[in-house]
Amino acid sequence: MADKQPARSTKEIEADIAATRNRLARTVDELAYRVSPDTIKANAKAKVNTQVHSLVGQAKGKVVDPAGEPRLDNIASALGVVAGAALSLGVLRRLFNKG
């Protein structure tokens, strides 16, 4: 047996329609806000800023110890890598540009 819904008055139906219309309007407004270029740009900037701050914190942790003193061992290693890369590029340049 099918359940019969109680008869609703015209005012109740109109109130339901108005409530549904308001919900749909809010949903459309929210979607428009989410896909607007300004919102997308702001979200992207916030994400990049968060990542940059995280990377800066990690790099600072490699160069400075918790007491604020420079970590000379890590600094020397980094400078050694940079010098080795520069030397390697210089040698490769000389080899390939003898011409």
Side-chain angles (χ1 to χ4, degrees):
M1 296 193 170
D3 291 329
K4 291 189 176 185
Q5 294 183 359
R8 298 187 313 163
S9 70
T10 305
K11 286 187 178 187
E12 290 174 329
I13 294 171
E14 288 174 351
D16 285 347
I17 291 171
T20 302
R21 186 180 298 124
N22 287 335
R23 282 195 308 271
L24 286 173
R26 284 194 306 267
T27 301
V28 169
D29 290 343
E30 177 66 23
L31 290 173
Y33 170 77
R34 287 184 186 185
V35 299
S36 75
D38 289 338
T39 302
I40 292 170
K41 184 173 78 172
N43 290 342
K45 281 176 74 174
K47 186 175 180 180
V48 167
N49 282 340
T50 301
Q51 291 174 346
V52 166
H53 288 301
S54 174
L55 289 174
V56 167
Q58 289 175 1
K60 189 175 180 182
K62 299 283 184 188
V63 178
V64 179
D65 66 8
E69 297 296 319
R71 297 181 68 181
L72 298 178
D73 55 335
N74 287 351
I75 294 171
S77 298
L79 290 176
V81 168
V82 169
L87 183 64
S88 298
L89 289 174
V91 168
L92 288 173
R93 183 173 172 223
R94 283 195 172 242
L95 288 174
F96 288 108
N97 288 331
K98 278 192 171 186

